[in-house]
Amino acid sequence: MAEVEIRNIIVNAATQFFSKFGFSKTTMSEIAKHTHKAKGLLYYYFNSKEELFNEVLKQELGKVKTGLGKIAVSDADPLIMLRSYLLLHLKLLNNALTYHETLKADFFEKYHFVKNVRDDFNHFEREQLSIILGKGKGKGYLDITDITSSANIILMVLHGIELSLFLQDKYAEYEFTLDELSTVLISGLKFQKK
Amino acid sequence: MAEVEIRNIIVNAATQFFSKFGFSKTTMSEIAKHTHKAKGLLYYYFNSKEELFNEVLKQELGKVKTGLGKIAVSDADPLIMLRSYLLLHLKLLNNALTYHETLKADFFEKYHFVKNVRDDFNHFEREQLSIILGKGKGKGYLDITDITSSANIILMVLHGIELSLFLQDKYAEYEFTLDELSTVLISGLKFQKK
DNA sequence: ATTTGACTAAAAAACAATAAAAGTCAATAC
DNA sequence: GTATTGACTTTTATTGTTTTTTAGTCAAAT
């Protein structure tokens, strides 16, 4: 079998276990057994359990990036784009189970090995939001001077509520409120006749 | 000495220790020693360590309530009131150290014994915000239909960012951004000529 | 070049013994 | 009778030890 296929089989099995049981309660032997391969093979493709987890998180966030990336390239109304972005961000991340674990770990300053992937994702989000905000500003829809600063505000709110939503499983409960929140935020950034 | 005075001496000493070392790393003996009283006396005034901690938290949040309570009763511009409320909420809670501990504990579903005091505070906040939003709506400043729902959005944002601000000590870092955030939120709730 | 599985080293879980803390209460002071 | 004490008991946490589990290795096989 092609090298890349086996690698994927391993990553897929790892994703199942990590998503269900988390990093420490998943064993490499379990993953190996489930793929009907020897444990040593996992170490042929990945240097460590951490590296494998990292790859799982990377692929998970990769899918989120793909979803979110489609918004900024479209030529829809920037206000609608921004709204879609906020809601899709929360919706997609709500299902990113390994990401949830790294969120939680943030509080204990563990999981440093995952820093690069997380940083990359944050950078991506900053970029996408800047594009959207830039378009909105260009077309005179948004009343913002400093795009970076506005992006920071939005990200602060998103990251803030992520913790309560995902780690305390309140997404379903708050879904409707999130809709209103995005409306308020966008309305707050909108150009207003004083 | 009057019964209530001794009680206060105990609570004050307890506040110092709990704020500095947290609930579990503070011992009742320490508190007793610091007040130059026997440990048994603490149990004459409080049934348990948990009850004492509860009292400390109650007084801490009581001060926050006093500060925040002054805003809604003033007859300032509701928009300014709302802005002051958001910023003061974060500023005062940033110094509420025992509250921080209960925030953290939320993630582990510990500290259930503190639920009443926390619920009371949440109820207070909901009330204050409703008053302010009500005034804003009445005077035609705010474009909101459901006051409860708007209060929920604001509280969700506040609670969300509290975790990152207080538990990861980012208040100083984000202070400026918070100012902008409150501007955006208020602007988003403001009545707009479409 | 890929895969195996017995092997080693390191980390976690289980257990027992010990220390430290919460909480009690009969005696004492006011 | 109310407030206070401090020695005492009970619970909970800590420490050190053993056992088990798991991450990670590697020589041999495919």
Side-chain angles (χ1 to χ4, degrees), chain A residues 33-105:
Chain A
K33 198 175 174 185
H34 191 259
T35 57
H36 301 291
K37 304 284 171 190
K39 189 171 60 158
L41 194 64
L42 304 196
Y43 288 91
Y44 179 76
Y45 289 99
F46 300 94
N47 287 314
S48 65
K49 188 184 177 185
E50 296 190 350
E51 201 178 296
L52 178 55
F53 183 83
N54 219 41
E55 180 61 29
V56 169
L57 180 65
K58 195 176 168 186
Q59 292 201 11
E60 187 179 85
L61 289 181
K63 282 179 193 160
V64 177
K65 280 164 79 172
T66 304
L68 291 174
K70 286 175 188 153
I71 293 176
V73 295
S74 78
D75 53 358
D77 176 352
L79 294 179
I80 293 176
M81 272 166 61
L82 186 52
R83 192 162 200 287
S84 311
Y85 191 93
L86 300 183
L87 295 177
L88 190 60
H89 163 108
L90 293 169
K91 188 178 182 172
L92 292 180
L93 283 183
N94 183 49
N95 296 315
L97 298 178
T98 53
Y99 174 74
H100 291 186
E101 193 177 357
T102 68
L103 259 188
K104 198 170 202 165

Side-chain angles (χ1 to χ4, degrees), chain A:
Chain A
M1 219 177 314
E3 188 169 322
V4 65
E5 271 184 56
I6 297 289
R7 217 186 114 97
N8 273 332
I9 286 170
I10 294 169
V11 172
N12 288 339
T15 302
Q16 284 184 44
F17 282 99
F18 284 139
S19 298
K20 202 163 182 180
F21 306 112
F23 178 74
S24 56
K25 286 193 178 170
T26 294
T27 73
M28 292 297 265
S29 307
E30 271 180 316
I31 298 170
K33 198 175 174 185
H34 191 259
T35 57
H36 301 291
K37 304 284 171 190
K39 189 171 60 158
L41 194 64
L42 304 196
Y43 288 91
Y44 179 76
Y45 289 99
F46 300 94
N47 287 314
S48 65
K49 188 184 177 185
E50 296 190 350
E51 201 178 296
L52 178 55
F53 183 83
N54 219 41
E55 180 61 29
V56 169
L57 180 65
K58 195 176 168 186
Q59 292 201 11
E60 187 179 85
L61 289 181
K63 282 179 193 160
V64 177
K65 280 164 79 172
T66 304
L68 291 174
K70 286 175 188 153
I71 293 176
V73 295
S74 78
D75 53 358
D77 176 352
L79 294 179
I80 293 176
M81 272 166 61
L82 186 52
R83 192 162 200 287
S84 311
Y85 191 93
L86 300 183
L87 295 177
L88 190 60
H89 163 108
L90 293 169
K91 188 178 182 172
L92 292 180
L93 283 183
N94 183 49
N95 296 315
L97 298 178
T98 53
Y99 174 74
H100 291 186
E101 193 177 357
T102 68
L103 259 188
K104 198 170 202 165
D106 253 7
F107 279 116
F108 307 102
E109 284 144 52
K110 285 190 308 183
Y111 290 26
H112 43 85
F113 57 92
V114 114
K115 190 175 182 302
N116 283 341
V117 179
R118 298 247 343 235
D119 285 352
D120 169 82
F121 184 67
N122 286 333
H123 176 255
F124 169 84
E125 289 226 289
R126 224 164 271 279
E127 213 170 54
Q128 300 298 309
L129 278 172
S130 297
I131 293 171
I132 296 174
L133 291 172
K135 285 188 180 176
K137 189 184 178 183
K139 294 194 180 176
Y141 287 133
L142 295 177
D143 180 26
I144 48 182
T145 43
D146 185 358
I147 288 178
T148 309
S149 173
S150 299
N152 277 341
I153 293 172
I154 293 173
L155 283 174
M156 180 199 265
V157 172
L158 286 180
H159 286 158
I161 59 183
E162 272 175 21
L163 291 167
S164 3
L165 287 181
F166 303 151
L167 299 185
Q168 302 180 311
D169 289 312
K170 292 191 174 166
Y171 183 76
E173 184 184 333
Y174 280 112
E175 206 165 4
F176 181 66
T177 315
L178 292 176
D179 209 70
E180 294 185 80
L181 170 61
S182 69
T183 306
V184 171
L185 278 179
I186 283 147
S187 176
L189 293 164
K190 212 186 294 184
F191 204 93
Q192 301 183 25
K193 302 189 182 96
K194 309 269 158 68

Side-chain angles (χ1 to χ4, degrees), chain B residues 100-165:
Chain B
H100 291 187
E101 195 178 355
T102 66
L103 257 191
K104 198 171 205 163
D106 253 5
F107 277 118
F108 308 103
E109 285 145 51
K110 284 192 309 185
Y111 288 28
H112 43 85
F113 57 90
V114 114
K115 190 176 183 301
N116 283 342
V117 180
R118 299 246 344 236
D119 284 353
D120 168 83
F121 184 66
N122 287 334
H123 176 255
F124 169 83
E125 289 226 291
R126 224 163 272 278
E127 211 170 54
Q128 299 299 307
L129 278 172
S130 296
I131 294 172
I132 296 173
L133 291 172
K135 285 188 179 173
K137 188 182 178 182
K139 293 192 180 175
Y141 287 133
L142 296 177
D143 179 25
I144 46 182
T145 42
D146 184 359
I147 288 178
T148 307
S149 173
S150 299
N152 277 341
I153 292 173
I154 293 172
L155 284 174
M156 179 200 267
V157 172
L158 286 179
H159 285 157
I161 60 183
E162 271 175 20
L163 290 168
S164 4
L165 286 180

